[in-house]
């Protein structure tokens, strides 16, 4: 149970020649403490709400400011960027699948 027990923890490692070159774990101990406190204060939400709370606040603030200013939100991907990203992913998929299968 809990935010981390529901798959919200991420781990990545970069190894070459049997040597670990980089390792990243998310959430960091600092973020995990925030997530645990948020979950305790407001139990029952979807786990990613606890983990991504600060990102959601930033997103909402930037979008609201942009609406009030009549501008594009700073640092927020547009629908076209999303479409272009998915098109690139589809283009690269066969090449990446071949490399992963090798």
């Amino acid at each position: 149970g809990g935010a981390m027990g529901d798959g919200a923890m991420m781990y990545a490692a970069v190894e070459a020649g049997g040597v670990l070159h980089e390792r990243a774990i998310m959430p960091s101990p600092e973020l995990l403490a925030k997530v645990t406190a948020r979950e305790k204060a407001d139990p029952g939400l979807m786990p990613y709400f606890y983990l991504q709370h600060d990102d959601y606040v930033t997103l909402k603030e930037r979008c609201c400011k942009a609406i009030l200013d009549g501008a594009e939100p700073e640092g927020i991907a547009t629908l076209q960027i999303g479409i272009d990203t998915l098109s690139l992913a589809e283009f690269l998929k066969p090449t990446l699948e071949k490399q992963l299968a090798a």
Side-chain angles (χ1 to χ4, degrees), residues 59-74:
L59 176 67
K60 290 189 278 186
E61 287 175 347
R62 288 182 183 181
C63 289
C64 289
K65 182 178 182 331
I67 290 167
L68 292 173
D69 294 346
E72 291 289 322
E74 175 192 347

Side-chain angles (χ1 to χ4, degrees), residues 23-96:
R23 182 178 71 163
I25 298 173
M26 197 224 166
S28 65
E30 296 82 15
L31 181 55
L32 181 57
K34 286 182 180 181
V35 167
T36 302
R38 287 179 185 135
E39 186 176 21
K40 187 174 183 178
D42 199 4
L45 299 178
M46 295 301 292
Y48 55 87
F49 288 146
Y50 305 116
L51 185 63
Q52 298 174 354
H53 173 272
D54 295 345
D55 294 330
Y56 287 136
V57 170
T58 299
L59 176 67
K60 290 189 278 186
E61 287 175 347
R62 288 182 183 181
C63 289
C64 289
K65 182 178 182 331
I67 290 167
L68 292 173
D69 294 346
E72 291 289 322
E74 175 192 347
I76 308 297
T78 63
L79 288 177
Q80 189 59 53
I81 290 171
I83 291 168
D84 293 346
T85 301
L86 290 173
S87 295
L88 179 60
E90 285 297 317
F91 176 78
L92 293 173
K93 183 180 175 188
T95 302
L96 296 172

Side-chain angles (χ1 to χ4, degrees), residues 3-21:
M4 298 303 98
D6 293 330
M9 183 175 171
M10 291 154 274
Y11 171 84
V14 176
E15 293 183 24
V19 177
L20 178 65
H21 292 276

